[in-house]
Amino acid sequence: MSHIAAVIQARVGSTRLPGKALRCLPGGTLTEHIIKRMQAVKEIDRIVLAVPSGQEEKPLREIAGRQGIDCVQGPEEDVLKRFILAGDEVNAVHIVRVCGDNPLVDLPLMRRLIQKHATNNADFTSCSDPIPLGSGSEVVKLDALKEIALKTADPVYREHVTTYFQDHPDTFRLEKIQAPAYLKNKNMRLTVDTEKDFYLLDQIYRKFYFPSQSPLDLEEILQFLANQPHLSAHNSDVEQKNWRLD
């Protein structure tokens, strides 16, 4: 049984930046970098790429095959079901939720989330502090996701997987941990939604990516960006979509 599985939600289609999952940074595609980053986390037993059904997702299935990880296809909008299918595929007990937009998710924070979650047998564990957009992750018990799936058909909760925990905090066992100092209250976009976002990540990878080295150190990157305000501000005017207001 896989105790902990990282599930990466990704798709070829994207409203704001079509095909971004296949866009190339130095050293590989956006999706390949995320997979390799997860492969560096020893606490993770299996990695699953969870993509929508459809032939257009074939390039992502091929990436999963080349990287030696599992790939599961499911409903495009019902991401909750996709996560449950992915967890069941590898007999996971707990899932680390990773967004396919985020190649620089912070690994020390992720490890602490996993450890806290497992120690307390939580249903959902997340970070309590504001951190750079794209640096965070969450850990959830697969059985808790299945319970949510039985409780609601609301598209909001089916598409935004962990929102039900946030809106019903008394229903589940929730845990929070503080962010490390180098992440806390850093107002920065390290996710990829637009061309401006991709440009910033491309510049970061051009400076910090070396094939022979371990995954990029986000603390080091943030120190660099603090001294390069013109670069870190490149995508600061990008408006983050607020799906609750849609």
Side-chain angles (χ1 to χ4, degrees):
M1 174 180 286
S2 296
H3 186 59
I4 297 175
V7 176
I8 305 167
Q9 61 181 85
R11 60 177 181 169
V12 170
S14 172
T15 304
R16 301 176 83 180
L17 189 60
K20 65 183 175 184
L22 305 175
R23 293 280 292 269
C24 284
L25 295 163
T29 63
L30 183 71
T31 302
E32 287 170 323
H33 278 296
I34 297 171
I35 293 170
K36 291 174 183 176
R37 202 160 178 81
M38 294 305 98
Q39 289 172 333
V41 181
K42 62 180 177 58
E43 291 86 352
I44 292 173
D45 301 304
R46 297 280 287 274
I47 302 170
V48 187
L49 189 62
V51 304
S53 301
Q55 189 59 25
E56 64 273 13
E57 306 298 332
K58 182 180 178 181
L60 289 177
R61 298 200 308 269
E62 292 175 343
I63 285 175
R66 291 197 300 270
Q67 297 298 321
I69 70 167
D70 295 276
C71 183
V72 167
Q73 290 189 272
E76 181 165 8
E77 300 300 330
D78 191 349
V79 184
L80 175 62
K81 184 172 182 179
R82 240 196 289 165
F83 267 73
I84 292 171
L85 289 171
D88 282 341
E89 176 71 16
V90 296
N91 296 314
V93 176
H94 304 285
I95 288 174
V96 182
R97 175 177 174 260
V98 182
C99 181
D101 303 335
N102 302 338
L104 291 178
V105 61
D106 189 65
L107 299 189
L109 174 59
M110 178 180 287
R111 292 187 180 103
R112 289 177 55 202
L113 286 165
I114 293 171
Q115 290 162 4
K116 177 80 168 182
H117 184 87
T119 299
N120 292 283
N121 193 30
D123 292 315
F124 177 60
T125 305
S126 60
C127 180
S128 60
D129 300 304
I131 58 177
L133 190 63
S135 65
S137 54
E138 301 167 326
V139 190
V140 59
K141 186 181 292 183
L142 179 58
D143 281 348
L145 291 182
K146 291 180 177 180
E147 185 176 339
I148 292 171
L150 291 174
K151 285 182 173 182
T152 180
D154 189 327
V156 166
Y157 299 126
R158 309 294 299 204
E159 182 177 358
H160 304 281
V161 177
T162 58
T163 304
Y164 196 91
F165 296 111
Q166 299 163 16
D167 289 352
H168 302 82
D170 298 329
T171 308
F172 296 93
R173 183 183 181 90
L174 309 185
E175 295 288 345
K176 295 271 190 182
I177 68 167
Q178 292 185 345
Y182 61 86
L183 289 179
K184 190 179 295 187
N185 297 318
K186 297 294 192 301
N187 183 23
M188 195 173 298
R189 286 184 62 87
L190 296 175
T191 191
V192 179
D193 280 329
T194 68
E195 287 287 357
K196 283 188 174 182
D197 295 331
F198 187 82
Y199 175 84
L200 175 60
L201 269 295
D202 184 62
Q203 293 302 303
I204 290 170
Y205 271 80
R206 286 179 186 275
K207 178 169 179 61
F208 288 97
Y209 175 76
F210 297 95
S212 60
Q213 293 186 0
S214 299
L216 276 61
D217 185 327
L218 185 52
E219 182 175 7
E220 183 181 4
I221 290 168
L222 290 173
Q223 291 172 350
F224 165 74
L225 291 175
N227 295 318
Q228 302 288 331
H230 65 287
L231 181 58
S232 60
H234 180 77
N235 62 346
S236 61
D237 63 339
V238 174
E239 185 177 352
Q240 184 66 14
K241 293 174 67 175
N242 187 342
W243 54 265
R244 287 188 184 269
L245 300 178
D246 290 345

